Coordinates of all heavy atoms in Angstrom, one line a residue:
V1457 N -4.3 36.5 24.7 CA -4.1 37.5 25.7 C -4.5 38.9 25.2 O -4.4 39.9 25.9 CB -2.7 37.5 26.3 CG1 -2.5 36.2 27.0 CG2 -1.7 37.7 25.2
I1458 N -4.7 39.1 23.9 CA -5.1 40.4 23.3 C -6.6 40.6 23.4 O -7.4 39.8 23.0 CB -4.6 40.5 21.8 CG1 -3.1 40.3 21.7 CG2 -5.0 41.8 21.3 CD1 -2.6 40.3 20.3
T1459 N -7.0 41.7 24.0 CA -8.4 42.0 24.3 C -9.0 42.9 23.2 O -10.2 42.8 22.9 CB -8.6 42.6 25.6 OG1 -7.8 43.8 25.7 CG2 -8.1 41.7 26.7
R1460 N -8.3 43.8 22.6 CA -8.8 44.7 21.6 C -8.9 44.1 20.2 O -7.9 43.5 19.7 CB -8.0 46.0 21.6 CG -8.1 46.9 22.8 CD -7.2 48.1 22.7 NE -7.3 48.7 21.4 CZ -6.6 49.8 21.1 NH1 -5.7 50.3 22.0 NH2 -6.7 50.4 19.9
E1461 N -10.1 44.1 19.6 CA -10.3 43.5 18.3 C -9.5 44.1 17.2 O -9.1 43.5 16.3 CB -11.8 43.6 18.0 CG -12.7 42.9 19.0 CD -12.4 41.4 19.2 OE1 -12.2 40.7 18.2 OE2 -12.3 41.0 20.3
D1462 N -9.3 45.5 17.3 CA -8.5 46.1 16.3 C -7.0 45.6 16.3 O -6.3 45.5 15.3 CB -8.5 47.6 16.4 CG -8.0 48.1 17.7 OD1 -8.2 47.4 18.7 OD2 -7.5 49.3 17.8
Q1463 N -6.5 45.3 17.5 CA -5.2 44.8 17.7 C -5.1 43.4 17.1 O -4.1 43.0 16.5 CB -4.7 44.9 19.1 CG -4.5 46.3 19.6 CD -4.1 46.3 21.1 OE1 -4.2 45.3 21.8 NE2 -3.7 47.5 21.6
V1464 N -6.1 42.6 17.3 CA -6.2 41.3 16.8 C -6.1 41.3 15.3 O -5.4 40.6 14.6 CB -7.4 40.5 17.3 CG1 -7.5 39.1 16.6 CG2 -7.4 40.3 18.8
A1465 N -6.9 42.2 14.7 CA -6.9 42.3 13.2 C -5.6 42.8 12.7 O -5.1 42.3 11.6 CB -8.0 43.4 12.8
A1466 N -4.9 43.7 13.4 CA -3.6 44.1 13.0 C -2.6 43.0 13.1 O -1.7 42.8 12.2 CB -3.1 45.3 13.8
W1467 N -2.7 42.2 14.1 CA -1.8 41.0 14.3 C -2.0 40.0 13.1 O -1.0 39.6 12.5 CB -2.1 40.3 15.6 CG -1.1 39.3 16.0 CD1 0.0 39.4 16.8 CD2 -1.1 37.9 15.6 NE1 0.7 38.3 16.9 CE2 0.0 37.3 16.2 CE3 -1.9 37.1 14.8 CZ2 0.4 35.9 16.0 CZ3 -1.6 35.8 14.6 CH2 -0.5 35.2 15.2
W1468 N -3.2 39.8 12.8 CA -3.5 38.8 11.7 C -2.9 39.4 10.3 O -2.4 38.6 9.5 CB -5.0 38.6 11.5 CG -5.5 37.5 12.4 CD1 -6.5 37.6 13.3 CD2 -5.1 36.1 12.4 NE1 -6.8 36.4 13.9 CE2 -5.9 35.5 13.4 CE3 -4.2 35.4 11.7 CZ2 -5.8 34.1 13.7 CZ3 -4.0 34.0 12.0 CH2 -4.8 33.4 12.9

Side-chain angles (χ1 to χ4, degrees):
V1457 297
I1458 299 178
T1459 57
R1460 288 177 48 182
E1461 301 300 315
D1462 60 329
Q1463 292 179 345
V1464 174
W1467 190 94
W1468 274 122

